[in-house]
Amino acid sequence: MTFASTRVSRRPAPALRTVDLAGVAWPVYKLESLALGFFVVAATLVIAGSLHAAVLAGAAVAVAAWWALRLTELGSLGRGSAESRPIESASSRQTTGPQ
């Protein structure tokens, strides 16, 4: 049997930390990951002297930081973590029979 709920949660969503850039609210974790990516590009370019390696390393670090910081930010707000969601077991459900 399939069940669809039409109720909408009215809980207010907690706000992310943001910085206003040109009238647009940017989440801080995005700016941090971009800055880290640019730093890795510059450092790799100086150390290795290869633009290809610098761009590849910077992009990889920026993407990894973007997702890690995003999940950290959402986890600290209580959204997206598995611990915050209740788990329904088969024994806790009541069966009512065919309808």
Side-chain angles (χ1 to χ4, degrees), residues 2-3 6 14 16 30 34 37 42 57 59 64-65 68-69 76 82 90-92 97-98:
T2 303
F3 175 76
T6 57
L16 293 172
K30 289 183 179 184
L34 289 174
L69 291 170
S76 68
S91 62
S92 67

Side-chain angles (χ1 to χ4, degrees), residues 28-69:
V28 173
Y29 73 89
K30 289 183 179 184
L31 298 175
E32 291 171 341
S33 63
L34 289 174
L36 185 61
F38 283 128
F39 175 76
V40 169
V41 167
T44 307
L45 190 58
V46 168
I47 294 170
S50 169
L51 185 60
H52 294 83
V55 169
L56 186 60
V61 168
V63 168
W66 186 297
W67 280 101
L69 291 170

Side-chain angles (χ1 to χ4, degrees), residues 11 14 71-85:
R11 290 181 292 157
L71 294 176
T72 302
E73 182 88 12
L74 293 178
S76 68
L77 295 174
R79 293 188 301 183
S81 62
E83 294 85 24
S84 65
R85 283 182 259 144

